[in-house]
Amino acid sequence: MATISDIFVVTTIVFSCFEITAYGALFSSLHQTLILNSSTSQGQVLQAGEEQVTITWSLNKNYPTGTDSNYKIVKVKLCYAPMSQLDRGWRKSNDNLNKDKTCQFNVVTKPYKPSNNNFTWTIEKDVPSASYFIRAYVYDYVGEVVAFGQTTDSHKKTNLFQITAITGRHVAINVCAACFSAFSVISLIGFYLVEKRKGKSLRR
Amino acid sequence: MGDVEGSPGSSMHGVTGREPVLAFSVASPVVPTDTSANFKVPVDSEHKAKVFKFYSFSKPHGLTFQLSWISFFTCFVSTFAAAPLVPIIRDNLNLTKMDVGNAGVASVSGSIVSRLAMGAICDMLGPRYGCAFLIMLSAPAVFCMSFVSSAGGYVAVRFMIGFSLATFVSCQYWMSTMFNSQIIGLVNGTAAGWGNMGGGATQLLMPLLYDIIRRVGATPFTAWRIAFFIPGWLHVIMGILVLTLGQDLPDGNLASLQKKGDVTKDKFSKILWYAATNYRTWIFVLLYGYSMGVELTTDNVIAEYFFDRFDLKLHTAGIIAATFGMANLLARPFGGWTSDFAAKHFGMRGRLWNLWILQTVGGVFCLLLGRANTLPVAIAWMIIFSIGAQAACGATFGIIPFISRRSLGIISGMTGAGGNFGSGLTQLLFFTSTKYSTGTGLTYMGIMIIACTLPVSLVHFPQWGSMFLPPSKDPIKGTEEHYFTSEYTEAEKQKGMHQNSIKFAENCRSERGKRVASAPTPPHVMPNRV
């Protein structure tokens, strides 16, 4: 009957949607078709909030023509190097890109062009102190990841750079904290002494 | 009554099984009203209130209740204030999982010692100054959080803020000077439960403050530091309110309180001996470590768990985490109520089964929470887990008054310390090393709760039985009198020191459940001394 087959069709579509969202693309299935370069050198230390990184990318010409026929958008991200992921489960790498936490900071999102891409990024103030590399993911028209490029090798050992975070402390905050703490202690002691003196004078 | 009058759990309420379960007031024939007193509520001969209205602000009784529970609530807010902000703090201070775990252990360890010292401080200075001193001297520690710059500093500051949890003792002590001992159980239980809610409220408050400060223009690594000023100000404000509006006694006179405190009829070493040599004390220390301890641990880890596992925004994770702690509003009194209900039908055996069931249910759902893969299921398991664990806390204090009459105060104190110790141990085992993810840690914690609740089956009262064994039929050893007076030597009995225990034994005959009518009368019971 029409209604049963309708239900069957809807159910299949719904379940296939679940499949897509549940699994996500696997990183190991992506091809590294972009060549990514950054202005940083191995071991360079940069200050967050002040210094800049310039990134350039282009398609690797060694791949056959037509590889980039479905490339639409490029998202460049700042990613943690393995030494900064140690003992920190919230930065863990996972082959399933839906669960991967390696790249937590967005640098820039741009439409795809095979060459002549560059961007100068001022390091944001909420970037923590760690070792990093840069990776770019390429998305197709449907929003799925299809390729990537990164500034380091496949073991993530070469060409890593450090960022030093801002402390978040300010002189004004320190002064206020000291003032309120002093107020708390002094008013307590003051109250105690005043009451003691009142008690003594009452007893006289 | 003896020197332990008014200490936590010392209420005589409910022991006869004939009073209403939820006692908000004491009827006049039981405790005579002092009609010469000029208070808004009926009071007894010491001018302690005979009626408990949780919405009352009347001076001094109602006002004391409000000041007391809100100060305790404030200390819970500041002790667990860092927990929902850990995702930001761990990036700012470059913390590893071990640092985060150690800070959690530190936050609950400080109060193990400070709670023990607080009793003595209240004896010396009175509960009003005890509370005010603690809350105002820990305010600088809260403000110090804003200039922490390393893992070591973070752990140290959380340790110092954790001292403030000793306001539990000043809160309970202060209420016992203001409320009659017949209703003190409910009053103290309500204050403790509402104070514990602070651990939930902070999960809501801190991410909200962080968001607001961010929107005003601060960067993330500065915004969380500024957010800590609010708990700090709460400490100072509550301290000032306690000092200006509070008073130690209904009549406002501190000197007579100090006189009373000096008269300790019993030796501390003896009380400690009888507490330590009663195996039931240690079983309950372990048990409370896996009801209250688990609650404190979860307050520390749950927001970060939801943030990381389900990729939520910080304040969404905070709202979900808050429901865990806020369940204390009703869950803890519920546990006490089910304990009383079970006792009416099955006596002490009912109370023990009730505790085992509640705490094991909590453990099972903690295990499931660690394994939940979708958000709605995780939230559902978390809510059931919270009700189980918090009701178990309430049920534990429904049994503790019956373990010993002589050493009741110390056993209550040791049990409370056991809660904190259990929390520190659990965080050290499962939430500090990188071997386990937080989800796995929760699952193992659930297994440990189930395992550590089994010893309740070993608690046996000769006069009332245990979970699996019936009471002893021995006409002497199977009586309440024998059990409670066995804590006194013959020499002490000659001095008549055991009279209160005899009275208590007579009153708790209802813990036999429905068999009260058929209970054999003990051969040489002393006549009732009214």
Side-chain angles (χ1 to χ4, degrees):
Chain A
M1 284 185 286
T3 42
I4 293 181
S5 57
D6 283 342
I7 295 168
F8 180 72
V9 166
V10 169
T11 322
T12 324
I13 294 174
V14 167
F15 273 116
S16 54
C17 287
F18 272 128
E19 269 182 45
I20 293 172
T21 50
Y23 285 100
L26 293 179
F27 182 69
S28 47
S29 68
L30 301 178
H31 294 291
Q32 191 170 358
T33 59
L34 283 187
I35 300 177
L36 214 65
N37 283 308
S38 65
S39 56
T40 58
S41 48
Q42 165 68 20
Q44 185 180 4
V45 180
L46 297 159
Q47 181 63 41
E50 291 169 21
E51 300 192 60
Q52 296 176 323
V53 180
T54 305
I55 307 136
T56 58
W57 64 95
S58 59
L59 180 69
N60 187 342
K61 297 261 166 32
N62 291 337
Y63 283 86
T65 46
T67 312
D68 60 347
S69 55
N70 61 345
Y71 292 4
K72 182 141 198 271
I73 293 176
V74 175
K75 280 194 193 169
V76 183
K77 294 188 173 201
L78 184 69
C79 308
Y80 290 109
M83 67 184 88
S84 293
Q85 293 176 298
L86 202 59
D87 293 333
R88 295 174 174 89
W90 54 90
R91 296 180 183 171
K92 215 161 118 175
S93 292
N94 191 314
D95 202 31
N96 179 347
L97 285 174
N98 276 353
K99 296 192 179 168
D100 181 52
K101 305 253 175 118
T102 322
C103 306
Q104 295 190 11
F105 298 97
N106 291 327
V107 172
V108 69
T109 302
K110 277 195 166 178
Y112 170 75
K113 273 187 309 176
S115 58
N116 249 333
N117 298 293
N118 59 46
F119 185 74
T120 303
W121 183 57
T122 310
I123 303 174
E124 305 265 325
K125 285 189 180 170
D126 62 346
V127 175
S129 296
S131 282
Y132 296 92
F133 63 94
I134 300 190
R135 181 184 286 170
Y137 288 110
V138 185
Y139 293 80
D140 66 8
Y141 291 83
V142 196
E144 301 227 355
V145 191
V146 288
F148 77 99
Q150 61 189 23
T151 57
T152 184
D153 66 353
S154 57
H155 297 289
K156 298 186 270 187
K157 293 250 166 78
T158 59
N159 206 13
L160 304 171
F161 61 97
Q162 312 259 54
I163 294 180
T164 308
I166 61 166
T167 59
R169 297 170 57 181
H170 284 280
V171 176
I173 299 180
N174 294 353
V175 169
C176 282
C179 286
F180 286 120
S181 307
F183 172 73
S184 184
V185 176
I186 292 173
S187 54
L188 172 71
I189 296 177
F191 212 99
Y192 181 69
L193 292 175
V194 164
E195 276 211 356
K196 242 189 153 177
R197 216 169 288 155
K198 243 200 266 172
K200 274 204 196 125
S201 62
L202 275 178
R203 261 176 251 148
R204 264 189 232 126
Chain B
M1 292 187 75
D3 52 309
V4 288
E5 173 179 350
S7 52
S10 63
S11 164
M12 292 286 277
H13 174 70
V15 296
T16 63
R18 287 191 291 273
E19 292 125 6
V21 175
L22 290 175
F24 290 99
S25 63
V26 179
S28 266
V30 182
V31 171
T33 308
D34 182 347
T35 45
S36 66
N38 198 9
F39 294 105
K40 290 200 187 76
V41 293
V43 295
D44 64 10
S45 56
E46 291 174 294
H47 294 176
K48 295 187 187 179
K50 286 171 59 184
V51 165
F52 170 49
K53 293 195 183 123
F54 61 82
Y55 48 82
S56 160
F57 277 82
S58 70
K59 239 177 135 83
H61 310 97
L63 190 58
T64 301
F65 172 69
Q66 309 300 345
L67 287 173
S68 218
W69 83 260
I70 297 178
S71 328
F72 185 37
F73 179 93
T74 304
C75 293
F76 248 92
V77 167
S78 58
T79 303
F80 293 102
L85 297 179
V86 162
I88 312 296
I89 301 177
R90 68 190 179 194
D91 275 344
N92 190 185
L93 305 178
N94 211 8
L95 305 176
T96 61
K97 180 156 186 195
M98 203 186 249
D99 297 324
V100 176
N102 285 342
V105 175
S107 66
V108 296
S109 315
S111 68
I112 295 178
V113 174
S114 66
R115 282 185 182 197
L116 300 174
M118 195 54 167
I121 294 175
C122 284
D123 278 333
M124 281 195 308
L125 300 173
R128 171 174 154 255
Y129 268 116
C131 179
F133 260 86
L134 185 58
I135 207 173
M136 291 184 91
L137 291 181
S138 52
V142 183
F143 289 118
C144 266
M145 197 52 124
S146 61
F147 39 85
V148 152
S149 59
S150 69
Y154 176 62
V155 174
V157 172
R158 284 205 75 183
F159 179 70
M160 291 193 293
I161 300 178
F163 281 126
S164 65
L165 284 184
T167 32
F168 172 71
V169 176
S170 68
C171 175
Q172 309 265 291
Y173 193 113
W174 204 0
M175 308 276 232
S176 68
T177 66
M178 290 284 175
F179 291 88
N180 183 275
S181 59
Q182 299 274 16
I183 51 171
I184 193 65
L186 182 70
V187 177
N188 273 338
T190 310
W194 290 9
N196 278 19
M197 274 200 312
T202 195
Q203 317 270 357
L204 208 57
L205 178 71
M206 297 306 284
L208 188 68
L209 290 172
Y210 170 76
D211 255 343
I212 293 174
I213 297 170
R214 276 264 314 255
R215 266 169 229 264
V216 172
T219 58
F221 291 174
T222 305
W224 75 265
R225 295 167 186 276
I226 300 177
F228 265 86
F229 274 71
I230 282 71
W233 290 335
L234 286 177
H235 271 239
V236 177
I237 293 170
M238 280 318 297
I240 294 179
L241 285 177
V242 162
L243 287 174
T244 51
L245 297 177
Q247 57 192 70
D248 292 295
L249 290 175
D251 298 316
N253 191 341
L254 177 61
S256 64
L257 174 73
Q258 288 184 318
K259 262 206 181 155
K260 257 206 239 174
D262 284 348
V263 180
T264 37
K265 284 193 267 176
D266 213 339
K267 274 175 73 179
F268 178 76
S269 56
K270 285 261 165 181
I271 301 178
L272 186 61
W273 174 258
Y274 284 111
T277 52
N278 190 333
Y279 75 93
R280 301 170 192 84
T281 307
W282 299 104
I283 294 183
F284 277 93
V285 167
L286 175 68
L287 245 55
Y288 203 58
Y290 284 91
S291 53
M292 169 55 85
V294 167
E295 183 187 331
L296 298 178
T297 301
T298 311
D299 278 336
N300 258 335
V301 306
I302 195 76
E304 194 189 350
Y305 174 67
F306 276 100
F307 180 87
D308 286 334
R309 179 94 179 237
F310 299 103
D311 286 319
L312 301 174
K313 284 201 288 217
L314 201 67
H315 72 253
T316 315
I319 293 173
I320 297 173
T323 53
F324 179 84
M326 299 294 271
N328 258 307
L329 179 69
L330 297 173
R332 192 167 168 142
F334 171 70
W337 180 82
T338 52
S339 187
D340 285 346
F341 183 81
K344 252 215 259 187
H345 297 278
F346 305 106
M348 176 56 71
R349 296 180 81 179
R351 289 191 194 272
L352 293 168
W353 273 100
N354 170 65
L355 174 58
W356 181 82
I357 289 170
L358 288 170
Q359 198 156 321
T360 305
V361 164
V364 166
F365 283 91
C366 180
L367 198 162
L368 293 174
L369 172 62
R371 298 176 66 111
N373 282 320
T374 58
L375 188 61
V377 170
I379 295 177
W381 293 166
M382 183 195 74
I383 291 177
I384 304 178
F385 163 42
S386 74
I387 295 175
Q390 289 158 14
C393 291
T396 306
F397 274 91
I399 300 178
I400 296 227
F402 300 102
I403 298 178
S404 159
R405 195 68 197 91
R406 189 174 189 183
S407 311
L408 175 56
I410 289 209
I411 293 180
S412 301
M414 283 168 73
T415 307
N420 280 53
F421 181 76
S423 177
L425 180 69
T426 312
Q427 287 182 79
L428 200 61
L429 286 176
F430 302 129
F431 297 99
T432 307
S433 87
T434 44
K435 246 199 294 176
Y436 314 118
S437 66
T438 310
T440 316
L442 285 170
T443 303
Y444 286 154
M445 183 165 82
I447 296 175
M448 197 152 178
I449 296 171
I450 298 172
C452 292
T453 309
L454 291 173
V456 78
S457 55
L458 300 173
V459 175
H460 180 79
F461 292 93
Q463 68 276 27
W464 297 320
S466 63
M467 274 170 75
F468 297 112
L469 297 171
S472 158
K473 293 213 173 47
D474 188 312
I476 296 173
K477 293 221 181 103
T479 63
E480 289 82 0
E481 279 77 5
H482 178 84
Y483 177 79
F484 288 110
T485 55
S486 62
E487 296 177 317
Y488 293 93
T489 62
E490 274 313 312
E492 289 165 335
K493 284 188 196 171
Q494 294 292 343
K495 283 192 241 168
M497 287 172 78
H498 64 309
Q499 292 306 324
N500 289 326
S501 291
I502 298 249
K503 206 151 136 196
F504 182 74
E506 285 162 6
N507 280 327
C508 59
R509 211 108 42 218
S510 64
E511 292 304 308
R512 297 182 184 213
K514 293 217 164 107
R515 297 180 308 108
V516 180
S518 58
T521 323
H524 34 262
V525 150
M526 306 283 257
N528 264 353
R529 300 225 178 142
V530 179

